[in-house]
Amino acid sequence: MTQFEVEIEELKKEMINMWVLVESQMEKARLAMIDFDKDLAREVVLKEKKRVNAYELKIDRDCENMFALYQPVAVDLRFLLAVLKINNNLERIGDIADGIARYIIELPEPFNKDILEQTQLLRMFDDAMIVLSETKIAFETEDTTLARSIFKKDEMLDEINLKANTVVADYIKGNPDNIMQALVVLSIIRKLERVGDQSTNIAEEIIFYVEAKVLKHHKKA
């Protein structure tokens, strides 16, 4: 194995570590929301986010060094280009977890169960976690079939998001004393929809580097 191949393998391991950390961020934000655990939410904001940022910077630097030293071509070039974009997508998902945790910290009381059930927020959170996990598996195994399945799963998140405005509006009409919670739930739904978008972007990058196919904006097409 050449030095370049060794560094490629190390870079892939770093990406998986970044993924695991971001998954941990999202899971802690989910549990903080369910259990109304402000301490756990603060952990996401104060500790984990710094680690995500540190990973992002290190991976970016490693990619830049490999471009400069080895001038990669073909699949190696596509891999490094994909890693740079996936790294950014994962950092944004870390930001989403951070944003959700901040809502929990600011809320004065736990979420009303009715609003959670009516908006399908808990189901959406679970689906977003599955999508994030499956993109990681697709990256690890270079499984483009699994990567393509992400597009359909993202549509399920989009569907909940599209219905959210009407559901939240109806809830507010019947519960005018709980407007703050309803608006926070709507904001979290918007953030989870973006987790799906970022995961779709990642799936596209996996297909790009494995198959040399560009699928950007496939939905519009």
Side-chain angles (χ1 to χ4, degrees), residues 40-52:
L40 188 58
R42 290 188 186 97
E43 183 179 329
V44 173
V45 171
L46 298 175
K47 295 181 181 179
E48 300 290 330
K49 186 63 176 67
K50 293 179 182 178
R51 295 174 61 197
V52 172

Side-chain angles (χ1 to χ4, degrees), residues 36 38 102-112 115 168 171-172 175-188:
F36 198 59
K38 289 179 180 283
R102 290 178 187 275
Y103 286 132
I104 308 307
I105 293 168
E106 293 168 3
L107 278 176
E109 58 187 12
F111 285 108
N112 181 284
I115 185 70
V168 169
Y171 178 83
I172 289 174
N175 303 269
D177 57 336
N178 205 15
I179 292 176
M180 177 187 289
Q181 279 201 13
L183 294 178
V184 168
V185 165
L186 186 60
S187 296
I188 292 175

Side-chain angles (χ1 to χ4, degrees), residues 79-113:
F79 175 76
L80 289 177
L81 291 171
V83 163
L84 282 171
K85 292 182 180 179
I86 293 170
N87 191 34
N88 181 254
N89 293 135
L90 290 174
E91 192 277 334
R92 290 183 180 180
I93 295 174
D95 283 342
I96 289 168
D98 177 88
I100 293 171
R102 290 178 187 275
Y103 286 132
I104 308 307
I105 293 168
E106 293 168 3
L107 278 176
E109 58 187 12
F111 285 108
N112 181 284
K113 289 184 179 180

